[in-house]
Amino acid sequence: MTEQWGFYFDAEKCIGCHACTVACRVRNDVEADGPKWRRIVHAENGTFPDYEQVSVSIACMHCEDPPCRTVCPTGAIEKRNEDGIVVVNQDKCIGCHYCAWSCPYGAPKFDDNNKMQKCHLCLGEGGGDGYGSPPKAKEEDGGTKPACVDNCVGGALKAGPMDELTKEVTDSAVNQATQRKGNIIIEAGGPTVTFESESD
Amino acid sequence: MSETDANDGGVRRRTLLKAGGAAAAVGLTGVGINAVGEEAEAASDESGRETVHGNCWICRASCGQEVTVADGKAIDLTGVDGHPKASAGEGREGTLCSKGMGQLNKTYNPNRIREPHIREDGELRAASWDEAIEFAAQRLEEFAEEHGPEKFLRYQGYPLGKHPWHDLVFKNLYGAPIKVGRKTTCHGPFSDSWAWMSGYGREWPDWQNSEYIIAWGRNVMECFRGQWEPKGVLDAKERNDATVVCIDPRYTKTAEVADQWIPIKPRTDGALALAMANVIIEEGLYDEEFIGNYTHGFESYKEAVADKTPEWAAEITDVDADVIRDIAIGFAEAAPSSVAFPWTGIAYQSNGFKNAQNIQALNGLVGNIDSKGGTRQWTAGFGLDDPHEKQGIDVPANYEDQPTPDYDDYPFQRHVRDLSHNLVPKAVERGDIKGFVNNWSQPPKSGNTRAWFEALEEMDLVITVDAFWTGVSKRADVVFPGASQLEQPFLQTGGDGSYSTNGWVTGSKPAIEPVGNCRRDYQVYKALAEEMGWGEYFPWETGEEYYDSQLEAIGLSFDELDEKSYEIVADFEYRQYEDGGFDTENGLFNFDLDAKPEYKALADDIGVSTAPAWHPPDDDLFGETTNEEYPLLFTDLMVEQFSRGHCQALSQSLEAYAQRFGHEDEDYRGNYLHINPKDAKARGIEDGDWVKVQSADDEIELMANLWEGIRPGWVGTENGFGVGSAQPDEEGANSMLLNKERHVEPTTGMTARNHPVEIERLGGEPR
Ligand code: SF4
Ligand code: SF4
Ligand code: SF4
Ligand code: SF4
């Protein structure tokens, strides 16, 4: 693979404001009550007054070895060689929802026609599959920043080739990232970030 | 689940970060999307696409916008980099919040009023602009003849960019002298106490330079006014290693970023502030130089706090005495780069004025007034031209000769310049008010709701400029469909923003044409003025021309400004009081307000101290408290998704709000009653149940959200929903139904929003 794109998320800076989720819908022209390609989980712990919350912004992590692709019976899901972005060919999608069951991040969503759609790292707009789009270009090479990153109020989200993202962050975050299958680096000022799937 | 203790140098502790995938549930219920419609096609057409500027005005903060327009349609938004409100300053990324991102939703909302309407034979019907303007002018003339213009009340929300045209027509020309003061619906207790103490209308912290921030009844990470606020707090944490303390009975996103969350017993904030002062004075940590040279009333302040020990306050506030000591010392040691900043959490209280005064006094005590990283007295540092003056047009002040009623039996009304919101129905009943003009506001959601609805029916003439059908526009005689922010020109100057020592100006031309038959404000007021024979006061063709004339003062054209989005104009220093003192009665910072004659008279009258003092919320003067029948205290709240009540019709905001509290899988899109599981369990209430909130006066029904982040004994809901709101189905509950005329803070006339209630389970399904 030439380049692997991924996300960077800093839990210390996320203020749980949902600007990223709305920005994603606005850029990609998804109705407010439509599928949520990016969502915020307000993870909580403890009882009053020993209570805390942490906000986590989640979308498709464009996994290294995507479980969604593995289970897809029609081969509709593709991990692109040029940028590692996981896209779905909606023409091949039969709406069986296996990908949704297998994805640890709850990323695959379905449209009216039961076609899978999800975060495509802002490869173009609308539709939701990103299939057939040209390789992801960095901002300085004339690409646009993903809408979620562009509007992250706290500056908690970044996107780019993983080797560039890893340069900017702490060793512990890089360590965590390499142990995870999804292409996301999480900076959380210490705590381990665990993503759990109810389906695995 | 993995749980790891985290400790990054003792600054912050987070123990768990767990994000449930819930893949199956969410995936399988994934609902429809309308992505490949007309709009998506327009979006993919690169040819007609351009980027223009705008200024978001959903929470009236004027964050600079970059708007992508394709074929005349706005399709995408983001913030302007380096913008004083949209970014953290020079070279920093600009963003918009989730409400700001909902702006397209407002503009292209299917429920938007797109035609003028007039009331004929009791029914509202669509009309042409000519008809509507003519009708309004005629009704206004008849009204003036029959009742006099002094009986016509002005009620404004925050008209776009605070333009002067509404007042020019209704105050200066028509001669309506009375308006409702915004301070009586939102921030009176803290802005008035601050104005009287320091001579400055409303403090604003110098967030990014602070080293110790006490967000006191203020949820700055969720209810910011401008992107620069949360960004400034994050900058302060990262760059200055600032300590953030959040004082709030509920766990907010501010509590989330804070080093310490103090879930104080509601309405006891004033006691905590006095005890902090006690510690600071005991420890000799106050600013002698500042107090000696620039203040009045320190002796009486000192006396007032002499016996207010942390132990005394711990009883009242349920905050540990050691915690009180710690934050008092931390705050004082970081001064003058520290700030204690109250907001609506304090203003909504019936004893809010005294509580706010006690908190503000802390800032004076440690001398962090108008300091780097302290509480700032912002100024623009420059002025704009007066277009009328330049044209030699003398604007009359017809309101000045009009008689105004007195409300001597309402003490606060003697010194509060405008009419208190909650008194309007009384004024209508007494015949003092017989009509009103409203601009982008929804008064029945700001207090005394039922009486307001009755008053609206009673009024002879109601004129409104709005975008949605609300409790007001549905009852109006004339409805002018206002242009949305993206459709209007904008100009604003300011100091408070991410440039701590600069004044700035921000402005933009309309990004798009108004939808339907909607009209820009300038055009509405100009047409009305012309019809009423006052055309000479509106010689400019458009609002842009008016702004252009204003900008000549700083050698900038409106075209240039629109191109740049913002311009940094002036420099000003910290500690402006060193040169000329404070803008108060005596030129000093006042701990004791005995120097303010109007307040002194009021305080003597109602028997309260003019110095900082503790006034519990449970006496006759300061309001009601819980009892056996109504054991829970109810308050209304704000969240990021709707920090102003008029955003509720925006589906993007409603959706983000439902997600915020984990109820996006329900059909319900109203507000939630946040209740501690302990209180809920005692009443058999489960998450998602439909509940009734019963006060001694009234009741509301909404959905329960069980939450460990809220103090037992205390419940709350986000305001602005339910009957009278802009949401077409009026889903949720209008919390101000519980509010009656008597529920006001006695100094400022501000709507008091705390009610003793009991909660009852109604069942699982919304009715
Ligand atoms: S996050 Fe989910 S949808 Fe995305 S690549 Fe991984 S498994 Fe597939
Ligand atoms: S990269 Fe684009 S599509 Fe993906 S979550 Fe962000 S905004 Fe949405
Ligand atoms: S926009 Fe940024 S800060 Fe806000 S919720 Fe999303 S990731 Fe967090
Ligand atoms: S803070 Fe949000 S709502 Fe307020 S002006 Fe800025 S973008 Fe708009």
Side-chain angles (χ1 to χ4, degrees):
Chain A
M1 199 181 317
T2 353
E3 236 171 13
Q4 170 64 57
W5 276 64
F7 286 111
Y8 164 89
F9 174 73
D10 186 343
E12 285 285 318
K13 289 186 176 167
C14 177
I15 61 170
C17 67
H18 294 251
C20 51
T21 62
V22 181
C24 176
R25 291 199 287 269
V26 170
R27 171 80 56 88
N28 293 302
D29 205 15
V30 179
E31 296 283 300
D33 59 353
K36 290 170 179 65
W37 299 357
R38 179 167 286 286
R39 66 202 159 94
I40 308 296
V41 172
H42 304 272
E44 56 182 349
N45 185 32
T47 53
F48 183 93
D50 299 313
Y51 173 82
E52 25 174 31
Q53 236 181 35
V54 171
S55 312
V56 189
S57 178
I58 303 174
C60 169
M61 305 304 185
H62 305 281
C63 300
E64 206 175 289
D65 182 13
C68 59
R69 182 181 60 175
T70 313
V71 300
C72 178
T74 66
I77 297 169
E78 182 189 317
K79 182 157 181 74
R80 301 180 1 148
N81 204 35
E82 58 270 38
D83 48 23
I85 296 173
V86 175
V87 293
V88 47
N89 180 351
Q90 291 191 332
D91 289 343
K92 285 194 189 169
C93 175
I94 54 166
C96 66
H97 292 243
Y98 284 175
C99 55
W101 280 94
S102 71
C103 171
Y105 305 107
K109 307 288 173 195
F110 294 85
D111 68 9
D112 277 346
N113 299 325
N114 215 8
K115 302 283 185 193
M116 197 269 255
Q117 57 172 262
K118 60 169 188 63
C119 164
H120 49 31
L121 249 156
C122 285
L123 288 165
E125 292 155 25
D129 58 0
Y131 183 77
S133 303
K136 185 79 194 172
K138 281 175 262 172
E139 219 196 350
E140 53 275 27
D141 303 327
T144 49
K145 228 184 248 181
C148 53
V149 172
D150 206 12
N151 280 291
C152 175
V153 173
L157 275 176
K158 286 182 190 166
M162 289 297 277
D163 51 355
E164 283 181 25
L165 291 177
T166 49
K167 276 184 217 145
E168 295 182 38
V169 302
T170 60
D171 291 347
S172 79
V174 174
N175 276 339
Q176 286 178 37
T178 49
Q179 286 157 25
R180 210 176 291 117
K181 279 185 280 180
N183 289 298
I184 179 161
I185 300 171
I186 294 183
E187 194 79 74
T192 305
V193 178
T194 315
F195 288 99
E196 281 199 337
S197 171
E198 284 171 12
S199 57
D200 63 21
Chain B
M1 183 202 300
S2 100
E3 201 170 316
T4 315
D5 269 326
N7 192 332
D8 50 357
V11 179
R12 159 144 192 80
R13 186 178 50 84
R14 271 180 176 172
T15 52
L16 175 71
L17 184 57
K18 175 187 172 246
V26 178
L28 284 171
T29 54
V31 277
I33 159 181
N34 174 20
V36 206
E38 234 176 280
E39 296 174 19
E41 270 156 36
S44 63
D45 175 12
E46 294 285 339
S47 56
R49 190 176 284 208
E50 55 171 342
T51 305
V52 299
H53 287 132
N55 285 91
C56 183
W57 197 241
I58 283 195
C59 77
R60 82 178 211 101
S62 70
C63 290
Q65 288 166 325
E66 248 174 58
V67 188
T68 308
V69 179
D71 302 326
K73 192 167 183 214
I75 57 164
D76 199 7
L77 300 168
T78 188
V80 171
D81 295 347
H83 191 275
K85 289 285 193 180
S87 84
E90 207 177 341
R92 305 289 296 281
E93 181 109 7
T95 52
L96 302 171
C97 72
S98 74
K99 298 184 294 296
M101 289 304 304
Q103 191 67 255
L104 298 181
N105 229 215
K106 189 168 201 163
T107 300
Y108 300 113
N109 201 298
N111 305 315
R112 205 172 145 191
I113 306 174
R114 287 163 192 253
E115 304 289 337
H117 283 71
I118 58 178
R119 189 169 297 276
E120 245 176 20
D121 306 325
E123 296 289 324
L124 271 175
R125 69 156 174 92
S128 71
W129 271 101
D130 285 350
E131 241 181 323
I133 292 282
E134 207 178 298
F135 181 83
Q138 196 191 332
R139 294 291 308 271
L140 280 164
E141 271 156 25
E142 286 163 9
F143 185 95
E145 261 164 48
E146 199 181 333
H147 309 297
E150 77 274 12
K151 303 216 161 149
F152 201 61
L153 178 75
R154 292 176 289 123
Y155 199 117
Q156 275 172 287
Y158 289 113
L160 206 70
K162 289 198 282 185
H163 65 66
W165 312 312
H166 179 92
D167 271 1
L168 177 59
V169 170
F170 290 102
K171 185 181 175 192
N172 293 74
L173 300 170
Y174 191 61
I178 314 176
K179 70 168 180 175
V180 171
R182 287 309 292 185
K183 283 184 181 178
T184 68
T185 62
C186 180
H187 51 84
F190 80 78
S191 53
D192 275 344
S193 60
W194 190 245
W196 298 345
M197 292 167 89
S198 82
Y200 184 75
R202 203 190 311 181
E203 67 184 318
W204 223 267
D206 186 22
W207 297 115
Q208 61 267 41
N209 292 311
S210 198
E211 288 165 22
Y212 202 104
I213 293 167
I214 304 181
W216 206 319
R218 168 135 209 236
N219 181 7
V220 61
M221 303 312 279
E222 276 182 285
C223 298
F224 38 83
R225 265 199 33 196
Q227 307 295 290
W228 75 283
E229 292 201 85
K231 289 173 199 279
V233 174
L234 291 173
D235 271 7
K237 280 181 51 148
E238 193 170 304
R239 298 178 177 185
N240 318 337
D241 198 14
T243 302
V244 178
V245 175
C246 170
I247 302 178
D248 200 319
R250 76 179 158 145
Y251 189 94
T252 61
K253 292 294 163 190
T254 305
E256 187 174 315
V257 306
D259 298 87
Q260 195 155 14
W261 171 45
I262 300 178
I264 191 170
K265 204 165 153 200
R267 305 189 290 180
T268 66
D269 308 82
L272 177 60
L274 293 176
M276 285 171 65
N278 173 289
V279 173
I280 293 168
I281 292 171
E282 285 285 305
E283 302 277 332
L285 291 172
Y286 55 98
D287 186 338
E288 264 177 281
E289 198 267 336
F290 177 76
I291 291 169
N293 293 328
Y294 301 105
T295 70
H296 161 77
F298 180 60
E299 282 311 311
S300 53
Y301 180 26
K302 205 168 151 184
E303 215 170 284
V305 306
D307 55 348
K308 304 295 184 291
T309 60
E311 285 69 22
W312 166 83
E315 283 277 300
I316 298 170
T317 59
D318 194 26
V319 181
D320 197 87
D322 290 336
V323 170
I324 299 177
R325 269 197 191 87
D326 280 356
I327 58 171
I329 292 170
F331 169 75
E333 284 180 341
S337 294
S338 64
V339 59
F341 187 55
W343 207 348
T344 45
I346 308 301
Y348 284 4
Q349 304 170 351
S350 46
N351 57 341
F353 184 87
K354 288 315 275 188
N355 286 343
Q357 185 186 0
N358 296 351
I359 295 169
Q360 316 277 27
L362 285 171
N363 291 316
L365 183 63
V366 300
N368 62 19
I369 309 296
D370 205 26
S371 58
K372 186 172 181 183
T375 176
R376 196 81 168 89
Q377 319 263 56
W378 301 88
T379 134
F382 65 98
L384 295 180
D385 280 346
D386 178 343
H388 285 99
E389 206 179 285
K390 278 160 71 176
Q391 297 247 353
I393 303 169
D394 228 0
V395 178
N398 293 336
Y399 62 94
E400 273 177 353
D401 323 320
Q402 302 299 335
T404 51
D406 59 48
Y407 282 83
D408 275 354
D409 33 349
Y410 294 89
F412 55 81
Q413 212 52 76
R414 265 183 269 153
H415 65 85
V416 174
R417 203 180 26 193
D418 306 306
L419 196 59
S420 163
H421 170 94
N422 273 17
L423 274 194
V424 170
K426 169 77 52 170
V428 172
E429 196 187 301
R430 291 186 3 170
D432 297 333
I433 297 295
K434 289 189 174 291
F436 95 132
V437 58
N438 178 60
N439 181 301
W440 288 90
S441 206
Q442 296 171 46
K445 294 204 301 172
S446 293
N448 206 4
T449 302
R450 287 198 204 276
W452 254 96
F453 281 142
E454 283 162 25
L456 283 172
E457 297 297 342
E458 209 40 52
M459 288 184 197
D460 244 12
L461 177 60
V462 174
I463 298 178
T464 191
V465 181
D466 211 333
F468 295 108
W469 293 111
T470 68
V472 176
S473 50
K474 281 180 198 160
R475 289 170 171 81
D477 298 287
V478 185
V479 181
F480 293 130
S484 81
Q485 173 253 311
L486 291 171
E487 300 156 342
Q488 302 232 37
F490 186 92
L491 181 69
Q492 183 75 39
T493 60
D496 63 308
S498 54
Y499 293 78
S500 296
T501 53
N502 295 111
W504 44 266
V505 54
T506 183
S508 47
K509 293 183 192 170
I512 52 170
E513 287 302 314
V515 304
N517 242 335
C518 296
R519 260 196 202 177
R520 297 179 176 132
D521 279 5
Y522 184 82
Q523 261 55 45
V524 176
Y525 293 106
K526 180 179 165 75
L528 190 59
E530 280 170 353
E531 186 68 26
M532 299 195 68
W534 301 316
E536 63 191 285
Y537 302 105
F538 284 82
W540 306 276
E541 275 310 307
T542 61
E544 289 98 301
E545 279 181 24
Y546 182 91
Y547 291 146
D548 197 54
S549 170
Q550 281 191 293
L551 284 169
E552 270 172 39
I554 53 169
L556 201 65
S557 74
F558 192 61
D559 278 353
E560 283 169 308
L561 181 60
D562 170 65
E563 188 71 34
K564 295 175 168 175
S565 165
Y566 72 94
E567 176 93 323
I568 302 301
V569 182
D571 298 317
F572 53 84
E573 297 301 311
Y574 288 111
R575 300 186 181 275
Q576 297 156 81
Y577 59 82
E578 286 178 352
D579 183 22
F582 288 93
D583 187 19
T584 50
E585 312 286 316
N586 49 13
L588 297 169
F589 179 92
N590 288 291
F591 290 111
D592 191 327
L593 290 171
D594 56 350
K596 175 94 189 160
E598 299 92 327
Y599 179 66
K600 171 119 179 60
L602 171 95
D604 288 351
D605 230 43
I606 60 180
V608 307
S609 164
T610 52
W614 166 235
H615 287 284
D618 59 352
D619 60 25
D620 286 349
L621 184 59
F622 289 113
E624 306 160 345
T625 196
T626 50
N627 54 34
E628 249 168 56
E629 204 179 343
Y630 302 108
L632 302 168
L633 189 68
F634 170 91
T635 310
D636 66 350
L637 315 163
M638 295 190 194
V639 285
E640 196 270 347
Q641 290 74 30
F642 316 103
S643 61
R644 286 290 184 282
H646 37 226
C647 318
Q648 263 75 335
L650 309 186
S651 45
Q652 293 286 12
S653 296
L654 286 167
E655 205 57 32
Y657 171 64
Q659 280 185 63
R660 164 76 170 82
F661 292 103
H663 290 279
E664 71 268 32
D665 291 336
E666 324 239 13
D667 287 336
Y668 178 72
R669 286 294 172 269
N671 46 348
Y672 306 105
L673 180 83
H674 307 295
I675 180 169
N676 188 282
K678 214 167 111 189
D679 292 327
K681 196 165 169 229
R683 292 163 178 79
I685 295 168
E686 287 180 31
D687 196 41
D689 274 353
W690 205 238
V691 294
K692 179 162 91 179
V693 180
Q694 179 78 56
S695 78
D697 301 293
D698 226 318
E699 60 182 53
I700 54 175
E701 294 177 1
L702 35 50
M703 185 182 278
N705 168 239
L706 268 56
W707 189 21
E708 290 289 355
I710 194 158
R711 196 185 161 86
W714 191 71
V715 291
T717 193
E718 284 70 28
N719 59 36
F721 288 80
V723 58
S725 74
Q727 221 163 311
D729 50 11
E730 299 186 328
E731 206 159 16
N734 181 341
S735 50
M736 289 293 103
L737 285 171
L738 302 183
N739 191 274
K740 305 293 162 188
E741 181 189 306
R742 71 175 191 281
H743 294 121
V744 293
E745 190 283 317
T747 307
T748 60
M750 157 87 191
T751 305
R753 297 159 177 248
N754 283 266
H755 304 283
V757 298
E758 179 55 295
I759 315 279
E760 187 191 322
R761 177 180 186 272
L762 294 170
E765 287 300 310
R767 300 205 288 207

